[in-house]
Amino acid sequence: MFNYLEQAWNIDPRLCQLGREVARQIQPTAEELRQLAAINQCRILRAFQEERVGESDFYPSTGYGYNDQGRDKLERIWAKIFGAEAALVRHQIVSGTHSIALCLQGILRPGDEFIAANGPPYDTLASVIGHKQVNPGSLKEFGISYKEVPPLPDNGEPDFEGIRKAINVKTRLVLIQRSRGYSWNPSLSLYQIQQIINVVKQTKQDIVCLVDNCYGEFTDTKEPNAVGADLVAGSLIKNPGGGLAPCGGYIAGKQLLIDLVASRLTAPGIGSEVGASLNLKTHLYQGLFLAPHVVGETLIGAVFTAKLLANIGFSVSPRANEKRHDIIQAIKFNNVAQLLAFCQGIQKASPVDSMINLEPAPMPGYEHKIVMACGSFVQGASIELSADAPIREPYIAYLQGGLTNTHVKVAIMIALQHMLDRGKLQLEKKYFFNEK
Ligand SMILES: *Cc1c(COP(=O)(O)O)cnc(C)c1O
C-alpha cells in the first residue's frame, strides 16, 4: 500500500518508509482491537437472533408510526446490548447534543440542581445549560441550577472527594462524560465511571447518573449502563450508527427514566409509542450490526496516527500504547499554521469534498472558531474520518473516525505530505528507523 501512496499521491519516500514501519509496529495492538470488535460483533449478532429480527422489521412506517414493531424491536436490542431496561433509538433525535438535552430536560424540574462530574461538558451543552450567557430555553431559564467539579489538576482524573462535596439536597442528576471531547484530559474508563457512580449513589441514592456516551460506544465490551449508569445517551452518526445511520440519536437506561425522556421527546401521554421510522430502519439495524467493526477500524487508525505523529516529535493523547475509551486522537501542534495545514490535508484525503479548501469558521453552539475537516458521506458524521480543531491555544487537532483503517493511514500520510509541501514540517534524520 505504501508503495502505491508514493506513486498516486507523490508522498515523500521517507514518509512512506515511516508509515510502513509504524503500521508494522502496531500489529499486536491492532490484533487486540480486532478481538474487541469480534466480541462486540458476537454480542450484537446474538441479540439480533434472540429478538428474531426478520425482513418485515425493516418495513417503513408513516404518519404516527403506531405499532412499528421493527422500531420497538431495535430499541429492545439496543437495551439488551447496552445492559439497560429500555432504549429510545430515533432519527427524530437530531444529534448527540439533542439526546443529552432531552435527558436533562426530561428529568430535571424547577429548583433542581445538576452537576457535571469531571469538568465542563462538551461545548454545545453550554447553551443547553445556560450558565455562561442568557439563552432562551436553557435549563437556567427553567430555574435549574448547575455546578461543575473540575478534574484533579495534577493527573486530569475525577475528583471523587470534590464530587461528594458538591452534592446537596437539591442535586437531582450528575452528568458524566465518557469521552475526552475537545480537551487534553483523558477519557474515562468504565471503571472510573463506575467509581463516580458509586460515590454519587453512596452520597444520595436517588440521584440520576447520566453518561454522555458520545464516541465511547464499543470501545469496550460493556457500556456504561452495565456499570450502574441510569441513563446513557449518544449520537447515531458517531460509533453506534456504524457509518450507515443517516441521522439520529439514542438514549438507553431505566424504564421509568426513559418514559420521562420520551414524554419530552414527543409529548406527555404519547411518549415512545409514536414516531414514524420512514425508510430508515435498515440503515439503523445494519449500522448497529457493523458498528463494532467500524469502531475497531477507527481505533486501529487512531493508534497508527498516535505512533506516527509521536515519532516525528508531536505530543499525542492518548499515546499509541495507552488503553482507549473513546475514538478521539488528540495531537498538539506548535502553531495555527501547522494545525491548519494538517486539517487541510485530512480534508484533501477525503472520499467526498476532497477539492474543498478548508478555512476556520464560527459554528453554532461553539465558542471559538472551528476548523472541521470532514469529507463524509453523511454530513458531519464523525464516525467517518474527521479532524476538528477549535482555533485556540494550545493548538490541538482532534482526529476521529475512519470507516476503514486504510483510509486513516492514507489520510495521515497525505496530511503530513501537505504539511511538508507547505513548509510546516521538517523530516529530521532521527525520525527514521534503521539510520544511526
Ligand atoms: C459529539 C459530542 C457531543 C454532541 O454531539 P453532536 O451530535 O455533535 O450534537 C456531545 N458530547 C460528546 C462527548 C461528543 O463527542
Side-chain angles (χ1 to χ4, degrees):
M1 177 190 94
F2 289 95
N3 291 339
Y4 184 82
L5 284 178
E6 253 180 77
Q7 295 157 20
W9 284 283
N10 265 321
I11 307 287
D12 189 310
R14 292 170 303 165
L15 263 185
C16 289
Q17 190 207 333
L18 210 53
R20 195 180 290 116
E21 184 62 23
V22 166
R24 197 186 57 74
Q25 288 177 340
I26 66 159
Q27 274 313 320
T29 314
E31 188 45 40
E32 279 172 31
L33 292 169
R34 289 196 181 95
Q35 285 302 318
L36 166 72
I39 292 168
N40 282 323
Q41 180 71 89
C42 292
R43 293 199 315 121
I44 290 176
L45 178 60
R46 198 80 193 102
F48 273 47
Q49 293 170 349
E50 281 167 5
E51 287 293 333
R52 303 170 65 86
V53 174
E55 198 195 339
S56 61
D57 290 319
F58 307 146
Y59 295 164
S61 67
T62 57
Y64 295 116
Y66 287 129
N67 302 316
D68 185 333
Q69 293 180 16
R71 177 196 67 205
D72 297 347
K73 188 177 282 187
L74 179 63
E75 292 181 336
R76 285 198 300 278
I77 290 171
W78 209 280
K80 195 169 256 176
I81 293 165
F82 276 64
E85 290 172 10
L88 291 167
V89 183
R90 303 288 170 117
H91 72 268
Q92 287 93 350
I93 301 176
V94 301
S95 68
T97 306
H98 190 197
S99 298
I100 299 157
L102 282 171
C103 293
L104 296 170
Q105 293 162 344
I107 307 297
L108 295 165
R109 297 292 178 267
D112 285 348
E113 181 164 278
F114 84 102
I115 298 172
N118 198 34
Y122 193 75
D123 291 42
T124 55
L125 291 171
S127 328
V128 176
I129 300 168
H131 64 299
K132 281 191 178 162
Q133 78 261 43
V134 186
N135 207 23
S138 67
L139 293 167
K140 187 166 183 194
E141 208 180 56
F142 286 85
I144 292 154
S145 58
Y146 166 75
K147 274 201 298 225
E148 233 165 68
V149 181
L152 293 170
D154 42 338
N155 56 10
E157 296 205 355
D159 177 2
F160 297 112
E161 202 38 49
I163 295 168
R164 200 192 309 277
K165 285 198 188 125
I167 293 171
N168 61 39
V169 286
K170 285 168 55 183
T171 312
R172 175 75 183 110
L173 182 147
V174 169
L175 173 66
I176 305 162
Q177 181 179 307
R178 185 176 183 184
S179 159
R180 64 194 312 138
Y182 281 161
S183 114
W184 195 255
N185 283 332
S187 53
L188 293 179
S189 68
L190 283 183
Y191 179 64
Q192 287 173 307
I193 291 174
Q194 183 171 31
Q195 283 179 304
I196 295 176
I197 293 170
N198 288 346
V199 166
V200 170
K201 299 277 181 183
Q202 280 160 14
T203 314
K204 191 162 173 272
Q205 176 61 37
D206 64 348
I207 291 177
V208 173
C209 291
L210 163 65
V211 174
D212 172 355
N213 204 28
C214 283
Y215 288 139
E217 299 90 351
F218 306 126
T219 59
D220 206 322
T221 54
K222 282 189 258 177
E223 297 299 328
N225 305 84
V227 298
D230 300 299
L231 275 180
V232 171
S235 162
L236 298 190
I237 63 167
K238 294 180 179 174
N239 307 16
L244 290 186
C247 62
Y250 75 89
I251 299 153
K254 299 256 166 71
Q255 183 72 59
L256 282 173
L257 300 174
I258 291 290
D259 291 344
L260 283 171
V261 174
S263 291
R264 179 70 205 210
L265 169 63
T266 63
I270 297 176
S272 60
E273 280 173 57
V274 298
S277 52
L278 308 178
N279 233 331
L280 297 173
K281 277 182 292 184
T282 316
H283 302 288
L284 303 194
Y285 271 99
Q286 198 176 0
L288 173 62
F289 184 69
L290 284 178
H293 175 69
V294 171
V295 170
E297 291 293 289
T298 291
L299 290 172
I300 293 169
V303 171
F304 174 84
T305 306
K307 183 98 186 160
L308 182 45
L309 276 107
N311 272 348
I312 57 175
F314 293 102
S315 299
V316 296
S317 178
R319 291 186 299 278
N321 57 0
E322 274 178 287
K323 190 143 170 45
R324 287 166 193 262
H325 315 295
D326 67 10
I327 61 168
I328 300 184
Q329 179 62 52
I331 307 149
K332 209 178 269 180
F333 292 98
N334 302 317
N335 50 56
V336 184
Q338 236 177 17
L339 174 77
L340 201 56
F342 177 80
C343 293
Q344 284 169 339
I346 296 293
Q347 183 74 37
K348 272 178 60 155
S350 301
V352 182
D353 289 338
S354 61
M355 62 293 188
I356 280 178
N357 188 31
L358 204 63
E359 293 295 340
M363 292 279 292
Y366 293 91
E367 200 181 333
H368 295 81
K369 274 194 175 176
I370 305 245
V371 48
M372 251 184 200
C374 187
S376 54
F377 295 92
V378 171
Q379 185 195 79
S382 41
I383 188 59
E384 300 184 49
L385 182 63
S386 48
D388 313 327
I391 304 297
R392 66 184 176 207
E393 254 188 298
Y395 301 106
I396 301 171
Y398 299 91
L399 183 96
Q400 63 271 311
L403 296 178
T404 70
N405 80 72
T406 301
H407 179 222
V408 183
K409 288 172 183 158
V410 172
I412 293 299
M413 302 304 287
I414 292 177
L416 294 179
Q417 184 62 43
H418 186 71
M419 289 174 74
L420 275 181
D421 294 344
R422 293 288 157 100
K424 306 300 175 213
L425 178 69
Q426 268 80 47
L427 289 179
E428 294 172 30
K429 258 211 153 121
K430 64 175 182 212
Y431 299 155
F432 297 95
F433 309 93
N434 312 328
E435 275 187 65
K436 300 283 152 353

